[in-house]
Amino acid sequence: MLEPRPGHRQRNYTTTSQNSIAAPPIDFGLPEGQSLPPPNSHFARIVPASPSYFTGKPDFTDDLLSLQAILRKYQTLPTVTPGQATRVAWQTLAQYKLQAGEPVKTAKYHRILDVLKRLNLIHPALRPTEVADALDKYKRDINPYANVPIPGIIDDDGKTWAIGRRKASSAKVYLVEGNGQVLVNGKSLSQAFGRIHDRESAIWALKSTGRMDKYNVWALVSGGGSTGQAEAITLGAARALLVHEPMLKPALRRAGCVTRDPRRVERKKPGKLKARKMPAWVKR
């Protein structure tokens, strides 16, 4: 053991002490059982109830976040195929805007509809009450099964007709069993359309189903250009063909002949060369 040096005072270091060095408790002089008064509300900070309060669209953001949270919670439940799911008429964009009181774009509202359609695929027998209540909030109070399309009629001559539209073009197409003749405004297909692509488009509904030599087609078309008129005839011929043979609908849907194409040319804007093209930037 080392001995202390001469004239050096030895010190004792320990982690325990008899006397505490913490500050003594403050005595506010309050009676027993009484707490301190609340702080001055003038300096208090108001915390919004919604975490989306400071966003541009708080109600829409809250709705989307709540639906996404429900989907994460129940996404492992068994689902049915879209064809077996319950048919639902969802609120339109105008109805949702009126409910939320905010300007919501179509693309934003489609995000809510995507989550709703996924929740609607949960098996009805296993669907929780929370999911059912969330779906009821966005349903329209109508019977979706009451909206039945008017069936087409085949007259005594075996002829039927349907309307097809594309861009600014509109076509009334008549279809009857025959040997494959096609007339457009009283002209043959080659006289009505100069481009081969337009000729193929006009008879695509018959060509994709192998019915080229089974039906005669004559169409009355107006408005738009050659491309719009040809694709309007396609839609009209497909609808008329479904009256004769309803079982061809899956084949026509795969060929893209059942759904009306809503695309149109985007308008030119002021200050731009075209719809979106900007003029070249020049430094000087």
Coordinates of all heavy atoms in Angstrom, one line a residue, residues 181-274:
Q181 N -70.8 -6.5 -96.9 CA -70.8 -5.2 -97.6 C -70.8 -4.0 -96.6 O -71.5 -4.1 -95.5 CB -71.9 -5.0 -98.5 CG -72.0 -6.0 -99.7 CD -73.1 -5.8 -100.6 OE1 -73.9 -4.8 -100.5 NE2 -73.3 -6.6 -101.6
V182 N -70.0 -3.0 -96.8 CA -69.9 -1.8 -95.9 C -70.1 -0.6 -96.7 O -69.4 -0.3 -97.7 CB -68.5 -1.8 -95.2 CG1 -68.4 -0.6 -94.2 CG2 -68.3 -3.1 -94.4
L183 N -71.0 0.3 -96.3 CA -71.3 1.6 -96.9 C -71.3 2.7 -95.9 O -71.8 2.5 -94.8 CB -72.7 1.6 -97.6 CG -72.8 0.7 -98.8 CD1 -74.3 0.7 -99.4 CD2 -71.8 1.0 -99.9
V184 N -70.6 3.7 -96.2 CA -70.4 4.9 -95.3 C -70.9 6.1 -96.0 O -70.3 6.5 -97.0 CB -69.0 5.1 -94.8 CG1 -68.9 6.3 -93.9 CG2 -68.5 3.8 -94.1
N185 N -72.1 6.6 -95.6 CA -72.7 7.8 -96.3 C -73.0 7.5 -97.8 O -72.8 8.4 -98.6 CB -71.9 9.1 -96.1 CG -71.9 9.6 -94.7 OD1 -72.8 9.2 -93.9 ND2 -70.9 10.4 -94.3
G186 N -73.3 6.3 -98.1 CA -73.6 5.9 -99.5 C -72.4 5.6 -100.3 O -72.5 5.3 -101.5
K187 N -71.2 5.6 -99.7 CA -69.9 5.3 -100.4 C -69.3 4.0 -99.9 O -69.6 3.6 -98.7 CB -68.9 6.5 -100.2 CG -69.4 7.8 -100.7 CD -68.4 8.9 -100.4 CE -68.9 10.3 -100.7 NZ -67.9 11.4 -100.4
S188 N -68.5 3.5 -100.7 CA -67.7 2.3 -100.2 C -66.7 2.7 -99.2 O -66.3 3.9 -99.0 CB -67.1 1.6 -101.4 OG -66.1 2.4 -102.0
L189 N -66.1 1.7 -98.5 CA -65.2 2.0 -97.5 C -63.9 2.6 -98.0 O -63.4 3.6 -97.4 CB -64.8 0.7 -96.8 CG -64.2 0.8 -95.4 CD1 -65.1 1.5 -94.4 CD2 -63.8 -0.6 -94.9
S190 N -63.5 2.2 -99.2 CA -62.2 2.8 -99.8 C -62.5 4.3 -100.3 O -61.6 5.1 -100.3 CB -61.8 2.0 -100.9 OG -62.8 1.8 -101.9
Q191 N -63.7 4.6 -100.7 CA -64.0 5.9 -101.1 C -64.3 6.9 -99.9 O -63.9 8.0 -100.0 CB -65.3 5.9 -102.0 CG -65.1 5.2 -103.3 CD -66.4 5.2 -104.1 OE1 -67.5 5.3 -103.5 NE2 -66.3 4.9 -105.4
A192 N -64.8 6.3 -98.8 CA -65.1 7.2 -97.6 C -63.8 7.5 -96.9 O -63.7 8.6 -96.3 CB -66.1 6.5 -96.7
F193 N -62.8 6.6 -96.8 CA -61.6 6.8 -96.0 C -60.4 6.5 -96.9 O -60.3 5.4 -97.5 CB -61.6 5.9 -94.8 CG -62.7 6.1 -93.8 CD1 -63.7 5.1 -93.7 CD2 -62.8 7.2 -93.1 CE1 -64.8 5.3 -92.9 CE2 -63.9 7.4 -92.2 CZ -64.9 6.5 -92.1
G194 N -59.6 7.5 -97.0 CA -58.4 7.4 -97.8 C -57.3 6.6 -97.1 O -56.5 5.9 -97.8
R195 N -57.2 6.7 -95.8 CA -56.1 6.0 -95.1 C -56.5 4.6 -94.8 O -57.7 4.3 -94.4 CB -55.8 6.8 -93.8 CG -55.3 8.2 -94.0 CD -55.2 8.9 -92.6 NE -54.3 8.1 -91.8 CZ -54.4 8.1 -90.5 NH1 -55.4 8.7 -89.9 NH2 -53.5 7.4 -89.7
I196 N -55.6 3.7 -94.9 CA -55.8 2.3 -94.6 C -56.2 2.1 -93.1 O -57.0 1.3 -92.8 CB -54.6 1.4 -95.0 CG1 -54.4 1.6 -96.5 CG2 -54.8 0.0 -94.7 CD1 -53.2 0.7 -97.1
H197 N -55.5 2.9 -92.3 CA -55.7 2.7 -90.8 C -57.2 3.1 -90.5 O -57.8 2.4 -89.6 CB -54.8 3.6 -90.1 CG -55.0 3.6 -88.6 ND1 -54.6 2.6 -87.8 CD2 -55.6 4.5 -87.8 CE1 -55.0 2.8 -86.5 NE2 -55.5 4.0 -86.5
D198 N -57.8 4.1 -91.1 CA -59.2 4.4 -90.9 C -60.1 3.3 -91.4 O -61.1 3.1 -90.7 CB -59.5 5.8 -91.5 CG -58.7 6.9 -90.9 OD1 -58.3 6.8 -89.7 OD2 -58.5 7.9 -91.6
R199 N -59.8 2.7 -92.5 CA -60.6 1.6 -93.0 C -60.6 0.4 -92.0 O -61.7 -0.2 -91.8 CB -60.1 1.2 -94.4 CG -60.1 2.3 -95.4 CD -59.5 1.7 -96.7 NE -59.2 2.8 -97.6 CZ -58.5 2.7 -98.8 NH1 -58.0 1.5 -99.1 NH2 -58.2 3.7 -99.5
E200 N -59.4 0.1 -91.5 CA -59.3 -1.0 -90.5 C -60.1 -0.6 -89.3 O -60.7 -1.5 -88.7 CB -57.8 -1.3 -90.2 CG -57.0 -1.8 -91.4 CD -57.4 -3.2 -91.8 OE1 -57.9 -3.9 -90.9 OE2 -57.2 -3.6 -92.9
S201 N -60.0 0.6 -88.8 CA -60.7 1.0 -87.6 C -62.2 0.9 -87.7 O -62.9 0.5 -86.8 CB -60.3 2.4 -87.2 OG -58.9 2.5 -86.9
A202 N -62.7 1.3 -88.9 CA -64.2 1.3 -89.1 C -64.8 -0.1 -88.9 O -65.9 -0.3 -88.4 CB -64.5 1.9 -90.4
I203 N -64.1 -1.1 -89.4 CA -64.6 -2.5 -89.4 C -63.9 -3.4 -88.3 O -64.0 -4.6 -88.4 CB -64.5 -3.2 -90.8 CG1 -63.0 -3.2 -91.2 CG2 -65.3 -2.4 -91.8 CD1 -62.8 -3.9 -92.5
W204 N -63.2 -2.7 -87.4 CA -62.4 -3.5 -86.4 C -63.3 -4.4 -85.5 O -63.0 -5.5 -85.1 CB -61.6 -2.6 -85.5 CG -60.8 -3.3 -84.5 CD1 -61.0 -3.1 -83.1 CD2 -59.8 -4.2 -84.6 NE1 -60.1 -3.9 -82.5 CE2 -59.4 -4.6 -83.4 CE3 -59.2 -4.8 -85.8 CZ2 -58.3 -5.5 -83.2 CZ3 -58.2 -5.8 -85.6 CH2 -57.8 -6.1 -84.3
A205 N -64.6 -3.9 -85.2 CA -65.4 -4.7 -84.3 C -65.8 -6.0 -85.0 O -65.9 -7.1 -84.4 CB -66.7 -3.9 -84.0
L206 N -66.0 -6.0 -86.3 CA -66.3 -7.2 -87.0 C -65.1 -8.1 -87.3 O -65.2 -9.3 -87.2 CB -67.0 -6.9 -88.4 CG -68.3 -6.1 -88.3 CD1 -68.8 -5.8 -89.7 CD2 -69.4 -6.9 -87.6
K207 N -64.0 -7.4 -87.6 CA -62.8 -8.2 -87.9 C -62.2 -8.9 -86.7 O -61.7 -10.0 -86.7 CB -61.7 -7.2 -88.4 CG -60.5 -7.9 -89.0 CD -59.6 -6.9 -89.7 CE -58.4 -7.6 -90.3 NZ -57.5 -6.6 -91.0
S208 N -62.3 -8.3 -85.5 CA -61.8 -8.9 -84.3 C -62.6 -10.1 -83.8 O -62.1 -10.9 -83.0 CB -61.7 -7.8 -83.1 OG -63.0 -7.3 -82.8
T209 N -63.8 -10.1 -84.2 CA -64.7 -11.3 -83.8 C -64.9 -12.3 -84.9 O -65.7 -13.2 -84.7 CB -66.1 -10.7 -83.3 OG1 -66.6 -9.9 -84.3 CG2 -65.9 -9.9 -82.0
G210 N -64.3 -12.1 -86.0 CA -64.5 -13.0 -87.1 C -65.8 -13.0 -87.8 O -66.3 -14.0 -88.2
R211 N -66.5 -11.8 -87.9 CA -67.8 -11.7 -88.4 C -67.8 -10.8 -89.7 O -68.8 -10.2 -90.0 CB -68.8 -11.1 -87.4 CG -68.9 -11.8 -86.1 CD -69.5 -13.2 -86.4 NE -70.0 -13.9 -85.2 CZ -69.2 -14.6 -84.4 NH1 -67.9 -14.8 -84.8 NH2 -69.6 -15.3 -83.4
M212 N -66.7 -10.8 -90.4 CA -66.6 -9.9 -91.6 C -67.5 -10.3 -92.7 O -68.2 -9.4 -93.3 CB -65.1 -9.9 -92.1 CG -64.2 -9.1 -91.3 SD -64.5 -7.3 -91.5 CE -64.2 -7.1 -93.2
D213 N -67.7 -11.6 -92.9 CA -68.5 -12.1 -94.0 C -69.9 -12.4 -93.6 O -70.7 -13.1 -94.4 CB -67.9 -13.3 -94.7 CG -66.5 -12.9 -95.2 OD1 -66.3 -11.8 -95.6 OD2 -65.6 -13.8 -95.3
K214 N -70.3 -12.0 -92.4 CA -71.6 -12.5 -91.9 C -72.6 -11.3 -91.8 O -73.9 -11.6 -91.8 CB -71.5 -13.1 -90.5 CG -72.7 -13.7 -89.9 CD -72.5 -14.4 -88.6 CE -73.7 -15.0 -88.1 NZ -73.6 -15.7 -86.7
Y215 N -72.2 -10.1 -91.8 CA -73.1 -8.9 -91.6 C -72.8 -7.9 -92.7 O -71.6 -7.7 -93.1 CB -72.9 -8.3 -90.2 CG -73.4 -9.2 -89.1 CD1 -72.5 -10.0 -88.4 CD2 -74.7 -9.3 -88.8 CE1 -72.9 -10.8 -87.4 CE2 -75.1 -10.1 -87.7 CZ -74.2 -10.9 -87.0 OH -74.6 -11.7 -86.0
N216 N -73.8 -7.1 -93.0 CA -73.7 -5.9 -93.9 C -73.8 -4.7 -92.9 O -74.6 -4.7 -92.0 CB -74.8 -5.9 -94.9 CG -74.5 -6.9 -96.0 OD1 -73.5 -7.5 -96.1 ND2 -75.6 -7.2 -96.8
V217 N -73.0 -3.7 -93.2 CA -72.9 -2.5 -92.4 C -73.1 -1.3 -93.3 O -72.5 -1.2 -94.4 CB -71.6 -2.4 -91.7 CG1 -71.6 -1.1 -90.8 CG2 -71.3 -3.6 -90.8
W218 N -74.0 -0.4 -92.9 CA -74.1 0.9 -93.5 C -74.3 2.0 -92.4 O -75.0 1.8 -91.5 CB -75.1 1.0 -94.6 CG -76.6 1.0 -94.2 CD1 -77.4 2.0 -94.0 CD2 -77.4 -0.2 -94.0 NE1 -78.6 1.6 -93.6 CE2 -78.7 0.3 -93.7 CE3 -77.1 -1.6 -94.2 CZ2 -79.7 -0.6 -93.4 CZ3 -78.2 -2.4 -93.9 CH2 -79.4 -1.9 -93.6
A219 N -73.5 3.0 -92.6 CA -73.4 4.0 -91.5 C -73.7 5.4 -92.1 O -73.3 5.7 -93.2 CB -72.0 4.0 -90.9
L220 N -74.3 6.2 -91.2 CA -74.5 7.7 -91.5 C -73.7 8.4 -90.5 O -74.0 8.4 -89.3 CB -76.0 8.0 -91.4 CG -76.9 7.3 -92.4 CD1 -78.4 7.6 -92.1 CD2 -76.6 7.5 -93.8
V221 N -72.6 9.0 -90.9 CA -71.7 9.7 -90.0 C -71.5 11.1 -90.4 O -71.6 11.5 -91.5 CB -70.3 8.9 -90.0 CG1 -69.7 9.0 -91.4 CG2 -69.3 9.5 -89.0
S222 N -71.3 12.0 -89.3 CA -71.2 13.4 -89.6 C -70.3 14.0 -88.5 O -70.2 13.4 -87.4 CB -72.5 14.1 -89.5 OG -73.1 13.9 -88.3
G223 N -69.6 15.1 -88.8 CA -68.8 15.8 -87.8 C -67.4 15.2 -87.7 O -67.2 14.1 -88.0
G224 N -66.5 16.1 -87.3 CA -65.1 15.7 -87.1 C -64.4 15.3 -88.3 O -64.8 15.6 -89.5
G225 N -63.2 14.7 -88.1 CA -62.4 14.3 -89.2 C -62.5 12.8 -89.5 O -63.4 12.1 -89.0
S226 N -61.6 12.3 -90.4 CA -61.7 10.9 -90.8 C -61.4 10.0 -89.6 O -62.1 8.9 -89.5 CB -60.6 10.7 -91.9 OG -59.3 11.0 -91.5
T227 N -60.4 10.3 -88.8 CA -60.1 9.4 -87.7 C -61.3 9.3 -86.7 O -61.7 8.2 -86.3 CB -58.9 9.9 -86.9 OG1 -57.8 9.9 -87.8 CG2 -58.5 9.0 -85.8
G228 N -61.9 10.4 -86.3 CA -63.0 10.4 -85.4 C -64.2 9.7 -86.0 O -64.9 9.0 -85.3
Q229 N -64.5 9.9 -87.3 CA -65.6 9.2 -88.0 C -65.4 7.7 -88.0 O -66.3 6.9 -87.8 CB -65.8 9.8 -89.4 CG -66.3 11.2 -89.4 CD -66.6 11.7 -90.8 OE1 -66.3 11.0 -91.8 NE2 -67.1 12.9 -90.9
A230 N -64.2 7.3 -88.3 CA -63.9 5.8 -88.4 C -64.1 5.2 -87.0 O -64.7 4.1 -86.9 CB -62.5 5.6 -88.9
E231 N -63.6 5.8 -86.0 CA -63.7 5.2 -84.6 C -65.1 5.3 -84.1 O -65.5 4.5 -83.3 CB -62.7 5.9 -83.7 CG -61.3 5.6 -84.1 CD -60.2 6.1 -83.1 OE1 -60.7 6.6 -82.0 OE2 -59.0 6.1 -83.4
A232 N -65.9 6.3 -84.5 CA -67.3 6.4 -84.2 C -68.1 5.2 -84.8 O -69.0 4.6 -84.2 CB -67.9 7.7 -84.6
I233 N -67.7 4.9 -86.0 CA -68.3 3.7 -86.7 C -68.0 2.4 -85.9 O -68.8 1.5 -85.8 CB -67.9 3.6 -88.2 CG1 -68.5 4.9 -88.9 CG2 -68.4 2.4 -88.8 CD1 -68.0 4.9 -90.3
T234 N -66.7 2.4 -85.4 CA -66.3 1.2 -84.7 C -67.2 1.0 -83.5 O -67.7 -0.2 -83.2 CB -64.9 1.3 -84.2 OG1 -64.0 1.6 -85.4 CG2 -64.4 0.1 -83.5
L235 N -67.4 2.0 -82.7 CA -68.3 1.9 -81.5 C -69.7 1.6 -81.8 O -70.4 0.7 -81.2 CB -68.2 3.2 -80.7 CG -69.0 3.2 -79.4 CD1 -68.5 2.1 -78.4 CD2 -68.9 4.6 -78.7
G236 N -70.3 2.2 -82.9 CA -71.6 1.9 -83.3 C -71.8 0.5 -83.8 O -72.8 -0.1 -83.5
A237 N -70.8 0.0 -84.5 CA -70.9 -1.3 -85.1 C -70.8 -2.4 -83.9 O -71.5 -3.4 -84.0 CB -69.8 -1.6 -86.1
A238 N -70.0 -2.1 -82.9 CA -69.8 -3.0 -81.8 C -71.1 -3.1 -81.0 O -71.6 -4.2 -80.6 CB -68.7 -2.6 -80.9
R239 N -71.8 -1.9 -80.8 CA -73.0 -1.9 -80.0 C -74.1 -2.6 -80.8 O -75.0 -3.3 -80.2 CB -73.4 -0.5 -79.7 CG -72.5 0.2 -78.7 CD -72.9 1.6 -78.5 NE -72.1 2.2 -77.4 CZ -72.1 3.5 -77.1 NH1 -72.9 4.4 -77.8 NH2 -71.4 4.0 -76.1
A240 N -74.2 -2.4 -82.1 CA -75.2 -3.1 -82.9 C -74.9 -4.6 -83.0 O -75.9 -5.4 -83.0 CB -75.2 -2.5 -84.3
L241 N -73.6 -5.0 -83.0 CA -73.3 -6.4 -83.0 C -73.7 -7.1 -81.7 O -74.1 -8.3 -81.7 CB -71.8 -6.6 -83.3 CG -71.3 -8.0 -83.4 CD1 -72.0 -8.7 -84.6 CD2 -69.8 -8.0 -83.7
L242 N -73.6 -6.4 -80.6 CA -74.0 -7.0 -79.3 C -75.5 -7.3 -79.2 O -75.9 -8.1 -78.5 CB -73.6 -6.1 -78.2 CG -72.1 -6.0 -77.8 CD1 -71.8 -5.0 -76.8 CD2 -71.6 -7.4 -77.4
V243 N -76.3 -6.6 -80.0 CA -77.7 -6.9 -80.1 C -78.0 -8.2 -80.7 O -78.8 -9.0 -80.3 CB -78.5 -5.7 -80.8 CG1 -80.0 -6.0 -80.8 CG2 -78.3 -4.4 -80.0
H244 N -77.2 -8.5 -81.8 CA -77.4 -9.8 -82.5 C -76.8 -10.9 -81.7 O -77.4 -12.0 -81.6 CB -76.7 -9.7 -83.9 CG -77.5 -8.9 -84.9 ND1 -78.5 -9.4 -85.6 CD2 -77.4 -7.6 -85.3 CE1 -79.0 -8.5 -86.4 NE2 -78.4 -7.4 -86.2
E245 N -75.6 -10.7 -81.1 CA -74.8 -11.7 -80.4 C -74.3 -11.2 -79.1 O -73.2 -10.7 -79.1 CB -73.7 -12.2 -81.3 CG -74.1 -12.8 -82.7 CD -73.0 -13.4 -83.5 OE1 -72.2 -14.2 -82.9 OE2 -72.9 -13.0 -84.6
P246 N -75.1 -11.2 -78.0 CA -74.6 -10.7 -76.8 C -73.4 -11.4 -76.2 O -72.7 -10.8 -75.4 CB -75.8 -10.8 -75.8 CG -77.0 -11.0 -76.8 CD -76.5 -11.7 -78.0
M247 N -73.2 -12.7 -76.6 CA -72.1 -13.4 -76.0 C -70.7 -13.0 -76.5 O -69.7 -13.4 -76.0 CB -72.3 -14.9 -76.4 CG -73.6 -15.5 -75.8 SD -73.7 -15.4 -74.0 CE -72.3 -16.5 -73.5
L248 N -70.7 -12.0 -77.5 CA -69.4 -11.5 -78.0 C -68.9 -10.4 -77.2 O -67.8 -9.8 -77.5 CB -69.6 -11.0 -79.4 CG -69.9 -12.1 -80.5 CD1 -70.1 -11.5 -81.9 CD2 -68.7 -13.1 -80.6
K249 N -69.6 -10.0 -76.1 CA -69.1 -8.8 -75.3 C -67.7 -9.0 -74.8 O -66.9 -8.1 -74.8 CB -70.1 -8.5 -74.2 CG -69.8 -7.2 -73.5 CD -70.9 -6.8 -72.6 CE -70.7 -5.5 -72.0 NZ -71.8 -5.0 -71.1
P250 N -67.3 -10.2 -74.2 CA -65.9 -10.3 -73.7 C -64.9 -10.1 -74.8 O -63.9 -9.5 -74.6 CB -65.9 -11.7 -73.1 CG -67.3 -12.0 -72.7 CD -68.1 -11.3 -73.8
A251 N -65.2 -10.7 -76.0 CA -64.2 -10.5 -77.1 C -64.1 -9.1 -77.6 O -63.1 -8.6 -77.9 CB -64.6 -11.5 -78.2
L252 N -65.3 -8.4 -77.6 CA -65.3 -7.0 -78.1 C -64.6 -6.1 -77.0 O -64.0 -5.1 -77.4 CB -66.7 -6.5 -78.3 CG -67.4 -7.1 -79.6 CD1 -68.9 -6.7 -79.6 CD2 -66.7 -6.6 -80.8
R253 N -64.8 -6.5 -75.8 CA -64.1 -5.7 -74.7 C -62.6 -5.8 -74.8 O -61.8 -4.9 -74.6 CB -64.6 -6.1 -73.3 CG -64.1 -5.2 -72.2 CD -64.7 -5.5 -70.9 NE -66.2 -5.2 -70.9 CZ -66.6 -3.9 -70.7 NH1 -65.8 -2.9 -70.6 NH2 -67.9 -3.7 -70.7
R254 N -62.1 -7.0 -75.0 CA -60.7 -7.2 -75.2 C -60.2 -6.5 -76.4 O -59.0 -6.1 -76.4 CB -60.4 -8.7 -75.3 CG -60.5 -9.5 -74.0 CD -59.9 -10.9 -74.2 NE -60.6 -11.7 -75.2 CZ -61.6 -12.5 -75.0 NH1 -62.1 -12.6 -73.7 NH2 -62.1 -13.2 -76.0
A255 N -61.0 -6.4 -77.4 CA -60.6 -5.6 -78.6 C -60.7 -4.1 -78.5 O -60.2 -3.4 -79.4 CB -61.4 -6.1 -79.8
G256 N -61.3 -3.6 -77.4 CA -61.4 -2.2 -77.1 C -62.5 -1.5 -77.9 O -62.4 -0.3 -78.2
C257 N -63.6 -2.3 -78.2 CA -64.7 -1.7 -79.0 C -65.9 -1.4 -78.2 O -66.9 -1.0 -78.7 CB -65.0 -2.7 -80.1 SG -63.7 -3.1 -81.2
V258 N -65.9 -1.7 -76.9 CA -67.1 -1.5 -76.1 C -67.2 -0.2 -75.4 O -68.3 0.5 -75.3 CB -67.2 -2.7 -75.0 CG1 -68.4 -2.4 -74.1 CG2 -67.3 -4.0 -75.7
T259 N -66.1 0.3 -74.9 CA -66.1 1.6 -74.1 C -65.9 2.8 -75.0 O -65.0 2.7 -75.9 CB -65.0 1.5 -73.1 OG1 -65.1 0.3 -72.3 CG2 -65.0 2.7 -72.2
R260 N -66.6 3.8 -74.8 CA -66.5 5.0 -75.5 C -65.2 5.8 -75.1 O -64.9 5.9 -73.9 CB -67.7 5.9 -75.3 CG -67.9 7.0 -76.4 CD -67.4 8.3 -75.8 NE -68.1 9.4 -76.5 CZ -67.4 10.4 -77.1 NH1 -66.1 10.4 -77.1 NH2 -68.1 11.4 -77.7
D261 N -64.4 6.2 -76.1 CA -63.2 6.9 -75.8 C -63.5 8.3 -75.6 O -63.9 9.1 -76.5 CB -62.2 6.7 -77.0 CG -60.8 7.1 -76.7 OD1 -60.6 7.7 -75.7 OD2 -59.9 6.8 -77.5
P262 N -63.2 8.9 -74.4 CA -63.6 10.3 -74.1 C -62.5 11.3 -74.4 O -62.7 12.5 -74.2 CB -63.8 10.2 -72.6 CG -62.8 9.2 -72.1 CD -62.7 8.2 -73.2
R263 N -61.4 10.8 -74.9 CA -60.3 11.8 -75.2 C -60.6 12.7 -76.3 O -61.2 12.4 -77.3 CB -59.0 11.0 -75.5 CG -58.5 10.1 -74.4 CD -57.3 9.3 -74.8 NE -57.6 8.4 -75.9 CZ -56.7 7.7 -76.5 NH1 -55.4 7.7 -76.2 NH2 -57.1 6.9 -77.5
R264 N -60.1 14.0 -76.1 CA -60.3 15.0 -77.1 C -59.0 15.8 -77.2 O -58.2 15.7 -76.3 CB -61.5 15.9 -76.7 CG -62.8 15.2 -76.6 CD -63.9 16.2 -76.2 NE -64.2 17.2 -77.3 CZ -65.1 17.0 -78.2 NH1 -65.9 15.9 -78.3 NH2 -65.3 17.9 -79.2
V265 N -58.9 16.6 -78.2 CA -57.8 17.5 -78.4 C -57.8 18.6 -77.3 O -58.8 19.2 -77.1 CB -57.7 18.1 -79.8 CG1 -56.5 19.0 -79.9 CG2 -57.6 17.0 -80.8
E266 N -56.7 18.7 -76.6 CA -56.6 19.8 -75.6 C -56.5 21.1 -76.2 O -55.8 21.3 -77.2 CB -55.4 19.5 -74.7 CG -55.4 20.4 -73.5 CD -54.2 20.0 -72.6 OE1 -53.6 18.9 -72.8 OE2 -53.9 20.8 -71.6
R267 N -57.2 22.1 -75.7 CA -57.3 23.4 -76.3 C -56.0 24.2 -76.1 O -55.2 23.9 -75.2 CB -58.4 24.2 -75.6 CG -58.3 24.4 -74.1 CD -59.0 25.6 -73.6 NE -58.3 26.8 -74.1 CZ -58.5 28.0 -73.6 NH1 -59.4 28.2 -72.6 NH2 -57.8 29.1 -74.1
K268 N -55.8 25.1 -77.0 CA -54.6 26.0 -76.9 C -54.8 27.0 -75.8 O -55.9 27.5 -75.6 CB -54.4 26.7 -78.3 CG -53.2 27.6 -78.3 CD -53.1 28.4 -79.6 CE -51.9 29.3 -79.6 NZ -52.0 30.3 -78.5
K269 N -53.8 27.4 -75.1 CA -53.8 28.3 -74.0 C -53.2 29.6 -74.5 O -52.2 29.6 -75.3 CB -53.1 27.8 -72.8 CG -54.0 26.9 -72.0 CD -53.9 25.5 -72.5 CE -54.6 24.5 -71.6 NZ -54.5 23.1 -72.1
P270 N -53.6 30.8 -73.9 CA -53.0 32.0 -74.2 C -51.5 32.1 -73.7 O -51.2 31.6 -72.6 CB -53.8 33.1 -73.4 CG -55.1 32.4 -73.1 CD -54.8 30.9 -73.0
G271 N -50.6 32.6 -74.5 CA -49.2 32.7 -74.2 C -48.4 31.5 -74.5 O -47.2 31.4 -74.3
K272 N -49.1 30.4 -75.1 CA -48.4 29.2 -75.5 C -48.6 29.0 -77.0 O -49.6 29.5 -77.6 CB -48.9 28.0 -74.7 CG -48.6 28.1 -73.2 CD -49.0 26.9 -72.5 CE -48.7 27.0 -71.0 NZ -49.0 25.7 -70.3
L273 N -47.7 28.3 -77.6 CA -47.7 28.0 -79.0 C -48.8 27.0 -79.3 O -49.5 27.0 -80.3 CB -46.4 27.5 -79.5 CG -45.2 28.5 -79.3 CD1 -43.9 27.9 -79.9 CD2 -45.5 29.8 -80.0
K274 N -49.0 26.0 -78.4 CA -50.0 25.0 -78.6 C -50.7 24.8 -77.2 O -50.7 25.7 -76.4 CB -49.4 23.7 -79.1 CG -48.8 23.8 -80.5 CD -48.6 22.5 -81.2 CE -47.5 21.7 -80.5 NZ -47.2 20.4 -81.2

